[in-house]
Amino acid sequence: MQNKTAKLHTALSQKSFGIKDIKYFDVKSTRPLHYWLTEGIVQGLSGIEDLETNSNASNWLKFNFYEFIWVLTVRKLKELNYDNSILKETAKSVFTKLEEDLRMLAFEKAIITALTIRNTPVLAFFGRNGEFDVVYDAETAVNRFFDDKDGIYTYTNIVQFVREFLCIKEFFPYIKENGLLEDREAQALEVLYNNPKAEIGIRVEDKDEILIKPGKDAPKKFINTIMSQKYSGISIRL
């Protein structure tokens, strides 16, 4: 494992989030999350065994970054009417399937790829019987769709959950401390948060410069741009 990837993998494994942090995505999501925990839909959490004897124990549980992204994934799958019994089996696959050459979970590799290799699809496939797989190129994904004549699989793009996380202002200290963005990217995002008059110019290959103008949605536009475009530089204009 390369040093940068190994360092990021270790940082993201730290238990840094609680149930209360889900409210930044959806205030209503904290209540079902308690239930998902008792049902075993969110695997890998220390202290989860206490839920059977203490109904308030889930309030004290801590998530690492991978588990947090999995919670966001579960939210999406529930919107697609995924049954809890299937999600429980899926969670077992997500938190046991290894990328042995990298000494990490396949789900962890998917998240790190979404963070570090921009403009790359990271498609997670979930089967009716709890199967889990990740595809990193469009051709393989298309073949998977054509082969799935019985509609066994549902897929979601892990990149969308990573982007969603990066757009939350309250998580910026975590993002900056753990290197989820490059230094210049973090600097530009911090300026957008702290200077309401700042503009950010993003130089994109073979295109005109993309200008992020001041406004409420400026941080989100900035994140979506750097995550989807091949760019050569960032200009900060105060």
Side-chain angles (χ1 to χ4, degrees):
M1 196 187 305
Q2 296 179 350
N3 289 338
K4 183 177 180 180
T5 300
K7 183 178 180 181
L8 183 60
H9 178 251
T10 299
L12 300 185
S13 298
Q14 302 303 309
K15 304 284 185 177
S16 303
F17 307 98
I19 283 183
K20 62 180 178 59
D21 292 311
I22 295 296
K23 70 182 180 183
Y24 297 121
F25 299 92
D26 182 357
V27 174
K28 298 178 181 179
S29 287
T30 56
R31 179 172 293 180
L33 180 52
H34 287 272
Y35 178 70
W36 298 342
L37 288 165
T38 60
E39 288 293 298
I41 293 173
V42 182
Q43 297 282 331
L45 300 180
S46 59
I48 201 167
E49 64 278 357
D50 296 330
L51 293 176
E52 295 182 0
T53 57
N54 182 359
S55 60
N56 293 319
S58 58
N59 290 318
W60 306 103
L61 289 175
K62 290 292 185 180
F63 303 77
N64 64 31
F65 186 73
Y66 309 111
E67 293 159 351
F68 197 82
I69 296 298
W70 170 241
V71 171
L72 300 184
T73 307
V74 170
R75 286 173 65 237
K76 181 64 175 180
L77 293 175
K78 289 299 292 181
E79 290 176 5
L80 299 174
N81 296 318
Y82 249 64
D83 187 79
N84 287 341
S85 61
I86 297 176
L87 282 172
K88 185 174 182 178
E89 294 304 312
T90 304
K92 291 178 183 178
S93 299
V94 166
F95 289 100
T96 56
K97 186 173 183 176
L98 291 172
E99 289 285 344
E100 296 184 1
D101 56 327
L102 296 176
R103 291 180 292 177
M104 67 173 66
L105 294 173
F107 188 66
E108 294 173 343
K109 176 190 174 183
I111 291 170
I112 289 177
T113 300
L115 280 168
T116 59
I117 304 179
R118 308 290 172 76
N119 317 302
T120 299
V122 183
L123 301 177
F125 284 79
F126 304 100
R128 291 180 184 173
N129 298 312
E131 301 93 339
F132 164 67
D133 195 14
V134 183
V135 173
Y136 295 95
D137 65 275
E139 183 178 353
T140 303
V142 169
N143 291 336
R144 175 68 61 86
F145 289 131
F146 279 113
D147 291 340
D148 186 24
K149 294 180 175 59
D150 296 324
I152 294 174
Y153 286 94
T154 297
Y155 83 95
T156 187
N157 194 342
I158 297 298
V159 174
Q160 76 178 86
F161 305 121
V162 171
R163 285 189 193 179
E164 195 176 1
F165 180 92
L166 293 174
C167 289
I168 302 296
K169 182 178 180 180
E170 286 78 6
F171 295 145
F172 180 73
Y174 176 90
I175 292 167
K176 185 177 181 180
E177 178 183 355
N178 293 288
L180 273 63
L181 295 174
E182 298 295 333
D183 290 344
R184 187 63 171 174
E185 294 170 345
Q187 183 183 8
L189 184 58
E190 189 168 22
V191 167
L192 288 174
Y193 282 139
N194 296 327
N195 191 328
K197 296 182 179 180
E199 293 183 344
I200 303 297
I202 303 174
R203 295 185 293 278
V204 179
E205 295 181 9
D206 302 321
K207 293 182 181 179
D208 293 335
E209 181 185 63
I210 296 175
L211 185 62
I212 308 297
K213 296 184 177 182
K216 180 180 178 181
D217 293 331
K220 183 177 181 180
K221 291 178 181 177
F222 174 75
I223 290 296
N224 287 338
T225 301
I226 64 172
M227 295 292 287
S228 62
Q229 301 286 339
K230 291 183 178 180
Y231 73 91
S232 58
I234 295 174
S235 300
I236 299 174
R237 301 161 189 169
L238 302 177

